[in-house]
Amino acid sequence: MAPIADQKFMYDLLVIGGGSGGLAAAKEAVNLGAKVAVLDFVTPSPRGTTWGLGGTCVNVGCIPKKLMHQAALLGEAIHESAAYGWQVPDPKTIKNDWQALTTAVQNHIKSVNWVTRVELRTKKIEYFNALGYFKDQHTICGKMKNGEEKLFTAKNILIAVGGRPRYPDIPGALEYGISSDDIFSLEKAPGKTLVIGAGYIGLECAGFLNSLGYDATVMVRSIVLRGFDQQMANTIAQEMERRGVHFIYQAKPSKIEKQTDGRLLVNWVDKERQTHQDIFDTVLFAIGRKPLTEELKPEIIGLQLIPETAKIDVIDEQTNVPNVYAVGDVLHKKPELTPVAIHAGRLLARRLFGNSTEQMDYINVATTVFSPLEYGCVGLSEEAAIAIHGEEKIEIYHAYYKPTEFFIPQKDVSNCYIKVVAFRNGDQRVLGMHFIGPNAGEVIQGFAAAIKCNLTFPKLKDTVGIHPTVAEEFTRISVTKRSGLDPKPQSCCS
Ligand code: FAD
Ligand code: NDP
């Protein structure tokens, strides 16, 4: 136990930002005896959307996204169920009710906001609905909703303010566009939607909107899912196209105008500098996120930010100001993922208040893109492994497969594909695993633990599969790309 309670300060730890990283650190710190306060404040989106305590993941990120993805999967299941003998009405008459969906999603979120507030109270973490900024390196000014300002002093300060969607600097973007901050609570069904940006958020939103019955188009500036294995990323885009999502490649929006009927006229420019236009009901920007660090007045304490991105470079979550720490989406070159923010926050609290020396390991963090056919991965992509180690040292194993549950409804299996990236010689350590198919997140999570334990290709092959599952396909994989042999599905049960 290490309660610091330096009498000079009101708190041992003041957390700015009540999202995934900040709350995890706060809870761990109080468990270790520290006196903790959390400031959390949500500035409304340009459209005016706002939400409660808990940060991006709970309110406008992972949770509503996964629920909408689930709604989309259920729609797919209803259509398939007829093939399994369910007497469903004519599939053409089945429709999703947007208002009912958003109400259900928002009710769930409100219940999580409530539970979070109760948990903070029970744990005696002081919570203030206030926008914080630095007064000096131990003092934060918190601006409440009513404009009142309050000073908070703390021995240690944790920046966990996350980020918000960026908007491009084009006419009409801020006036007429929306972002992921708005889509999950949009009062009116989105209708024909243009999603600008082909990262995680762009593909996931376009995917569930299309599956819910809306016309969805993704505008891709360069490539889809930059940073991911490009063969897998292109397979995801191909599968989305097969399901009806439109893609406009190598294009950038240039102007959005509102027509008299309320619909949006969007102009964009292609790589030959030709201008095109089309009309949409909704334009959703998913072009990346901006960290909320400049609003903290970092210059007051000499806190250094990366000039191009305004992110914070840390060593072991410590900034260049010794008593000021940072976790989560504000960090330079670290994955912007909830479990990363949570784990880093928890470990930091243990180091500050629990005599721990354990550091956060940001390598080999698994992730999943919840596109209609999901893509989960951990470790290196094929191109990254080759760039780092050289083609001769790397073996790529790959396979197409047929999920058993796809047979009866005769679902298309052409993009059910997996890949293992491993060293070719020596212990043949596995460097990366990639899975496209149902429940990709569930499949990859376990293999991520195996990779953390230095999984080798022989050990993977020596693992007895669970039949009939899609995850067992990794234990059956054997064809190398180098061999040129056909990676098409092996027979079901041999
Ligand atoms: P946040 O959770 O963003 O919390 C920061 C909090 O600080 C916010 O409440 C903010 O309003 C508040 N704040 C900001 N400035 C101040 C200030 N000056 N004073 C007081 N409070 C302030 N990750 C996954 O792992 N899986 C997913 O499936 C996934 N899906 C996502 C889907 C979408 C649409 C989005 C947008 C993100 C998704 N993410 C996902 C990413 C995940 O949400 C973030 O990585 C995570 O929330 C980051 O946590 P954080 O603590 O850094 O910041
Ligand atoms: P990303 O950085 O992943 O993608 C941004 C996309 O927008 C890229 O395709 C980029 O293209 C494009 N783009 C950037 N600027 C412009 C512009 N001016 N005009 C047109 N296109 C542009 O950001 P996201 O917003 O999708 O996601 C942010 C983070 O949130 C992710 O990195 C991820 O960590 C997290 N997240 C995680 C999820 C999960 O775990 N399932 C789901 C959703 C989000 P280009 O490649 O050319 O730069």
Side-chain angles (χ1 to χ4, degrees):
M1 279 296 250
I4 295 82
D6 192 324
Q7 298 306 312
K8 278 200 306 206
F9 304 112
M10 294 159 73
Y11 302 101
D12 300 315
L13 178 68
L14 181 81
V15 179
I16 318 176
S20 308
L23 291 180
K27 288 184 219 165
E28 195 69 15
V30 283
N31 286 345
L32 293 163
K35 188 161 188 239
V36 181
V38 174
L39 306 192
D40 188 63
F41 191 88
V42 178
T43 306
S45 75
R47 204 192 144 85
T49 312
T50 187
W51 52 89
L53 177 64
T56 302
C57 172
V58 166
N59 293 285
V60 286
C62 330
I63 301 304
K65 180 276 305 291
K66 183 79 189 289
L67 296 174
M68 293 229 169
H69 175 63
Q70 176 65 10
L73 293 179
L74 285 172
E76 205 178 319
I78 293 171
H79 285 89
E80 283 162 31
S81 64
Y84 282 100
W86 287 101
Q87 296 178 353
V88 287
D90 176 2
K92 288 191 206 83
T93 64
I94 295 170
K95 261 193 79 186
N96 185 267
D97 176 341
W98 178 261
Q99 271 86 18
L101 172 60
T102 48
T103 302
V105 168
Q106 293 304 317
N107 284 345
H108 172 68
I109 291 170
K110 286 194 187 92
S111 74
V112 179
N113 296 149
W114 173 249
V115 169
T116 309
R117 285 187 77 142
V118 171
E119 202 186 355
L120 293 190
R121 206 174 306 142
T122 313
K123 286 185 177 293
K124 301 207 169 13
I125 296 171
E126 292 183 41
Y127 158 63
F128 300 90
N129 185 201
L131 186 71
Y133 61 90
F134 283 100
K135 277 286 187 192
D136 66 44
Q137 82 177 74
H138 289 285
T139 310
I140 296 294
C141 179
K143 194 170 178 186
M144 317 287 171
K145 238 183 181 161
N146 61 7
E148 195 188 307
E149 295 200 328
K150 187 172 159 54
L151 294 182
F152 300 88
T153 61
K155 183 165 189 198
N156 301 289
I157 292 174
L158 175 61
I159 299 172
V161 294
R164 292 293 287 272
R166 288 198 295 119
Y167 280 71
D169 186 15
I170 58 164
L174 278 171
E175 294 92 318
Y176 308 125
I178 63 163
S179 73
S180 53
D181 282 355
D182 311 299
I183 186 74
F184 306 112
S185 58
L186 210 60
E187 323 75 55
K188 229 173 90 204
K192 180 179 170 185
T193 303
L194 175 64
V195 176
I196 298 173
Y200 276 88
I201 298 178
L203 294 195
E204 290 182 342
C205 290
F208 70 66
L209 289 176
N210 174 67
S211 306
L212 292 173
Y214 304 104
D215 184 306
T217 301
V218 180
M219 186 173 287
V220 188
R221 177 169 70 170
S222 55
I223 55 173
V224 295
L225 290 176
R226 176 181 301 285
F228 283 86
D229 185 294
Q230 278 301 294
Q231 184 195 6
M232 306 305 281
N234 290 327
T235 305
I236 283 300
Q238 200 173 299
E239 172 66 17
M240 287 177 66
E241 268 189 272
R242 195 190 65 70
R243 289 169 181 244
V245 178
H246 314 289
F247 281 79
I248 305 173
Y249 283 97
Q250 309 281 318
K252 278 201 283 192
S254 53
K255 188 167 58 171
I256 306 175
E257 289 167 321
K258 197 169 202 161
Q259 306 199 120
T260 47
D261 63 359
R263 301 190 81 198
L264 302 173
L265 177 68
V266 181
N267 282 25
W268 69 90
V269 182
D270 69 17
K271 67 173 190 298
E272 267 86 41
R273 292 172 182 270
Q274 296 289 313
T275 299
H276 305 258
Q277 51 179 221
D278 197 358
I279 292 165
F280 297 89
D281 298 301
T282 301
V283 176
L284 189 155
F285 289 107
I287 63 167
R289 296 172 62 81
K290 178 188 161 310
L292 295 175
T293 48
E294 279 156 345
E295 293 80 349
L296 294 170
K297 305 198 177 171
E299 64 287 353
I300 287 179
I301 59 162
L303 174 70
Q304 285 164 11
L305 304 181
I306 302 289
E308 298 76 30
T309 58
K311 288 203 166 188
I312 306 174
D313 203 2
V314 287
I315 298 172
D316 304 334
E317 289 76 41
Q318 187 175 31
T319 72
N320 67 300
V321 182
N323 69 306
V324 177
Y325 300 85
V327 295
D329 282 7
V330 292
L331 297 189
H332 177 56
K333 292 207 164 144
K334 301 288 190 283
E336 289 178 26
L337 296 170
T338 280
V340 171
I342 292 175
H343 203 58
R346 242 180 230 152
L347 293 184
L348 173 66
R350 284 181 204 159
R351 293 199 303 277
L352 288 176
F353 305 110
N355 296 322
S356 164
T357 53
E358 196 182 342
Q359 298 293 352
M360 174 69 190
D361 179 4
Y362 291 94
I363 308 294
N364 288 336
V365 172
T367 184
T368 289
V369 183
F370 293 94
S371 40
L373 195 59
E374 299 166 7
Y375 166 36
C377 63
V378 56
L380 294 182
S381 64
E382 178 173 349
E383 47 272 58
I386 289 171
I388 297 167
H389 301 289
E391 196 159 5
E392 272 315 294
K393 293 212 170 100
I394 295 296
E395 200 72 271
I396 306 295
Y397 300 87
H398 65 155
Y400 287 92
Y401 68 98
K402 294 181 181 171
T404 307
E405 54 274 33
F406 279 29
F407 281 107
I408 286 182
Q410 296 180 13
K411 285 178 71 171
D412 192 299
V413 294
S414 54
N415 292 313
C416 292
Y417 180 70
I418 58 172
K419 185 191 274 190
V420 174
V421 180
F423 276 128
R424 197 173 169 201
N425 299 312
D427 63 359
Q428 299 173 51
R429 190 153 51 83
V430 174
L431 302 170
M433 296 178 80
H434 302 263
F435 176 95
I436 293 178
N439 305 310
E442 315 298 337
V443 169
I444 281 293
Q445 183 65 84
F447 287 109
I451 286 196
K452 206 129 180 85
C453 301
N454 294 322
L455 177 68
T456 64
F457 190 71
K459 278 276 176 234
L460 178 64
K461 293 295 297 175
D462 200 29
T463 303
V464 177
I466 302 169
H467 190 64
T469 64
V470 287
E472 73 171 323
E473 298 300 336
F474 273 126
T475 67
R476 287 153 52 94
I477 198 166
S478 60
V479 173
T480 64
K481 276 200 172 174
R482 186 175 267 108
S483 71
L485 291 173
D486 187 2
K488 284 274 156 3
Q490 305 168 35
S491 62
C492 158
C493 308
S494 58

